[in-house]
Amino acid sequence: MKDFFILRLLDKGEYLFTKLGVNYRTLRSILNVKLIMDERRVPTVLSNDEEKEGNYFKKSLFIYALMGVFMLVFMIPSFPLFFKMSIIYGLLLFMIISSLISDFSSVLLDVNEKNILLPKPVDYKTLNMAKTIHVLIYLLTISLAISGPLIIAGTIIYGISFLGIFLVQLFSLLGFSIFTTSLLYYLILRLFDGEKLKDIINYFQIGFTLLVTLSYQFVGRAFGFIDLDIVFTPRWWTYILPPTWFSAPFVVLLDKDYSTSIIWLSILGVVVSICMLVIYLKLIAPYFDKNLAKLSDNSGKLSAKAKKRAMRKLLLSKIFLKDKNEQTFYKFTKRMIASERKFKLRLFPSLGFSVIFPLIFLFNNVGYGQSFESYLDSMKNSSTYFVLYVSLIMLISALPMISISEKYNAAWVYQVIPLNSGTPIYSGATKALVINYFSPAFMISSGLFVWVFGARILPDLLIIFFNLLLLIMFVTLVTPKDLPFSQDFKYIKDKSTKTFFYSIGFIIVSVVAHFLVRRAAFGLYIYMAISMIAIKFFWQRAFK
């Protein structure tokens, strides 16, 4: 069996593991098998790779190293060290959490491993330690791949001390990410049961990804511009941003800045990391696996409220679906999406980003010498609501996902259905996506924009929604049609890239046309009427 370098390195600490009550030989054997399996698994970062052979893990490291090269744009210029490191650690935290959720949640929440190994001479403590070290090795490897170019550039610029501080802080960041994620999973496992537990875990993964993305936006806002200089402005919320905790020691040790706020941020990084470690070892690790057993419980009934909501959606769908075959595939798509948690893990972040990113662009300048109230007043009569077109880019990126599924092998069923045309299949599936997912996400964004700009923008919002429907038809026409749920997750090919570039072109034309018709009398209403006729006329033709 292959003997990994990291395991030979781990051998040096055999005595320590034995003192902790871990069976080191068993631990090593479990880790060896896990590392071999990692080489065969396709990481999320390579999910679009068409090649089926080779070491996927090494390929993914090359992609991560390229990301590190792009991050040099923050390291090489003569920005303040605290600003540089806050941005870099913010990006690293985002990538580590994303990777932890997308690639290693299944490891943290695996119940099969326990069922297979515990009847053998393997104890809980050794199994838990193997699980934690496995995740740590994986995240450390990809973190070093990303950080490699940054470490080289930083060591050249700031000297060998930079290397030592960076590695210490990187370990702290990894520990913080794993322990925080485990703590949140543990709380969910404690509070929920049955099918609801699985849904909550799914929503937590999506919500946590969105939260990390949103919180990263605040890292840049911790700094202000004074006479073209980037200056750190301490506020209460800057003390709850983890990237600033891990960046502050660079300023203390390399820039010799001993200001109160920097010292407190440095202390917070140490204290929080130690507290998370203690909580994990004392409270979480001993009880985590016991609560994992709840994941094997498939009980759970649909609540009365959920049934009423489903009935309302069904009635709504009948208004837009006259054809019985189309209705069948509408229901089929809806149930498939509802039952596939992996699919929802891909779809829901796009829906969340479609709500968040327009707001980020809208409120991008808040806090730079202007209060929130005065900023809202200045927005009232402006045309800034055009940034809502950003949500169309996020929503349309979810359209190709309709062709992927964990159960793609069952796609043979399409071959035996007595249908003369695939139109009801494509049209029913797309309407299910639009009615149940795209429309609610767009309505949330629209509600927030109406709150900011007032009811005067309602015709514009309707036009933007019509442009979304036209965009869906356009993308369906110009890209290859794949049957719903007929492709594996790793073989979406380059459809997403093509969809993105076609969408950008369409949206630019739509924004220009929308902007121009606003100048003409009744222009918005004429545009609206033409869009409705176009949607009515071309919808079925687009899905032939």
Side-chain angles (χ1 to χ4, degrees):
M1 189 178 284
K2 189 173 179 180
D3 192 21
F4 292 89
F5 169 75
I6 190 72
L7 293 181
R8 293 200 298 274
L9 203 63
L10 212 60
D11 288 342
K12 309 293 181 192
E14 182 175 353
Y15 175 77
L16 182 65
F17 286 111
T18 308
K19 279 288 180 190
L20 289 172
V22 174
N23 185 328
Y24 182 73
R25 289 292 108 192
T26 306
L27 172 80
R28 198 182 194 285
S29 301
I30 295 172
L31 284 173
N32 209 352
V33 173
K34 282 175 177 286
L35 293 174
I36 290 172
M37 294 299 290
D38 279 348
E39 291 185 347
R40 297 174 186 171
R41 190 180 63 234
V42 182
T44 304
V45 73
L46 285 176
S47 59
N48 292 339
D49 198 335
E50 293 183 38
E51 292 183 32
K52 297 179 182 179
E53 303 295 335
N55 187 326
Y56 286 111
F57 187 60
K58 285 183 181 173
K59 285 182 184 177
S60 71
L61 291 181
F62 178 71
I63 303 290
Y64 283 121
L66 277 179
M67 291 179 185
V69 171
F70 286 118
M71 286 164 69
L72 288 175
V73 295
F74 299 108
M75 177 59 77
I76 294 175
S78 57
F79 297 137
L81 183 57
F82 190 38
F83 175 75
K84 286 182 183 181
M85 299 317 298
S86 295
I87 297 290
I88 287 169
Y89 274 109
L91 284 168
L92 281 174
L93 187 65
F94 171 73
M95 289 180 185
I96 288 168
I97 294 280
S98 301
S99 182
L100 193 57
I101 289 175
S102 59
D103 292 333
F104 271 80
S105 282
S106 57
V107 175
L108 289 173
L109 301 173
D110 185 27
V111 289
N112 296 325
E113 188 180 63
K114 186 182 73 170
N115 295 335
I116 294 169
L117 292 177
L118 287 183
K120 312 283 186 306
V122 178
D123 57 275
Y124 259 120
K125 192 173 278 188
T126 303
L127 187 59
N128 283 332
M129 186 62 79
K131 190 186 283 186
T132 306
I133 292 176
H134 174 220
V135 176
L136 201 58
I137 289 172
Y138 176 85
L139 293 179
L140 180 63
T141 310
I142 62 170
S143 301
L144 287 174
I146 298 170
S147 311
L150 300 169
I151 290 173
I152 294 168
T155 306
I156 292 170
I157 297 170
Y158 297 102
I160 196 69
S161 303
F162 178 90
L163 173 64
I165 303 168
F166 194 100
L167 291 177
V168 170
Q169 295 304 90
L170 187 61
F171 273 106
S172 301
L173 189 73
L174 289 174
F176 173 79
S177 305
I178 294 173
F179 302 143
T180 306
T181 310
S182 301
L183 175 64
L184 293 173
Y185 274 133
Y186 172 72
L187 292 174
I188 293 169
L189 288 168
R190 282 290 300 264
L191 295 173
F192 299 96
D193 295 289
E195 285 296 312
K196 194 174 182 182
L197 168 64
K198 296 171 187 173
D199 287 335
I200 293 291
I201 286 175
N202 212 191
Y203 295 138
F204 159 73
Q205 292 167 334
I206 295 158
F208 199 41
T209 306
L210 294 175
L211 180 67
V212 172
T213 307
L214 194 60
S215 61
Y216 177 68
Q217 303 299 320
F218 285 91
V219 175
R221 290 173 185 278
F223 299 86
F225 290 90
I226 298 176
D227 296 333
L228 298 178
D229 290 327
I230 301 173
V231 179
F232 174 63
T233 314
R235 301 184 185 94
W236 67 267
W237 50 266
T238 53
Y239 292 94
I240 57 172
L241 293 175
T244 58
W245 306 341
F246 300 108
S247 310
F250 286 91
V251 188
V252 174
L253 298 172
L254 296 179
D255 278 357
K256 310 297 181 191
D257 181 347
Y258 303 119
S259 57
T260 310
S261 56
I262 296 295
I263 295 291
W264 272 113
L265 287 170
S266 303
I267 293 171
L268 269 174
V270 177
V271 171
V272 172
S273 297
I274 292 172
C275 287
M276 294 300 291
L277 177 64
V278 172
I279 291 170
Y280 179 80
L281 292 176
K282 297 288 182 188
L283 298 177
I284 301 174
Y287 305 105
F288 194 83
D289 278 336
K290 289 179 184 174
N291 287 289
L292 276 181
K294 290 183 180 179
L295 286 171
S296 304
D297 180 10
N298 294 318
S299 63
K301 293 179 180 176
L302 206 59
S303 67
K305 196 175 176 182
K307 282 181 183 174
K308 283 183 183 175
R309 194 165 53 243
M311 283 300 294
R312 279 201 298 272
K313 284 187 178 176
L314 189 63
L315 288 172
L316 184 67
S317 69
K318 285 184 178 177
I319 298 171
F320 297 102
L321 291 102
K322 303 296 181 190
D323 182 80
K324 284 191 176 178
N325 290 326
E326 202 179 40
Q327 282 182 16
T328 303
F329 285 101
Y330 170 89
K331 292 175 190 171
F332 169 73
T333 305
K334 199 174 153 214
R335 286 175 185 167
M336 281 293 291
I337 294 175
S339 65
E340 287 211 24
R341 292 189 171 83
K342 196 172 176 184
F343 183 94
K344 286 193 279 190
L345 197 57
R346 295 285 184 94
L347 174 66
F348 284 13
S350 295
L351 300 180
F353 290 143
S354 77
V355 177
I356 287 175
F357 275 106
L359 294 176
I360 288 172
F361 283 111
L362 186 63
F363 295 113
N364 198 36
N365 294 321
V366 174
Y368 293 113
Q370 200 174 15
S371 70
F372 186 68
E373 289 75 15
S374 61
Y375 185 79
L376 281 182
D377 287 338
S378 67
M379 288 284 103
K380 291 285 182 192
N381 297 314
S382 72
S383 301
T384 324
Y385 56 83
F386 271 73
V387 296
L388 190 56
Y389 272 97
V390 173
S391 72
L392 269 58
I393 299 172
M394 302 296 156
L395 290 174
I396 203 66
S397 69
L399 188 65
M401 294 179 197
I402 198 70
S403 63
I404 58 174
S405 171
E406 288 175 283
K407 300 161 188 158
Y408 66 96
N409 286 325
W412 58 267
V413 73
Y414 294 116
Q415 306 295 325
V416 296
I417 294 174
L419 282 176
N420 297 324
S421 158
T423 306
I425 302 175
Y426 297 118
S427 179
T430 307
K431 283 183 179 177
L433 201 61
V434 172
I435 292 172
N436 294 288
Y437 298 99
F438 287 8
S439 299
F442 187 80
M443 284 172 71
I444 292 170
S445 303
S446 300
L448 294 168
F449 273 67
V450 168
W451 174 68
V452 175
F453 295 97
R456 70 178 178 91
I457 67 164
L458 284 174
D460 295 277
L461 296 179
L462 210 52
I463 285 177
I464 296 172
F465 184 72
F466 286 156
N467 281 333
L468 170 65
L469 298 180
L470 290 168
L471 175 59
I472 289 170
M473 290 156 51
F474 173 70
V475 168
T476 306
L477 275 171
V478 297
T479 56
K481 292 186 186 68
D482 292 317
L483 286 163
F485 313 108
S486 62
Q487 304 285 325
D488 190 5
F489 277 85
K490 59 184 178 183
Y491 299 124
I492 305 179
K493 303 177 183 175
D494 58 347
K495 195 173 176 181
S496 298
T497 313
K498 284 180 183 172
T499 301
F500 175 77
F501 285 112
Y502 286 134
S503 304
I504 292 293
F506 185 93
I507 288 170
I508 289 171
V509 173
S510 301
V511 170
V512 173
H514 186 171
F515 188 76
L516 291 176
V517 298
R518 286 177 70 251
R519 295 168 172 241
F522 304 107
L524 286 176
Y525 299 100
I526 294 169
Y527 189 114
M528 213 183 294
I530 293 172
S531 298
M532 287 172 71
I533 293 168
I535 293 164
K536 177 76 178 170
F537 186 75
F538 288 111
W539 183 271
Q540 291 296 326
R541 288 168 176 77
F543 293 99
K544 275 187 178 175

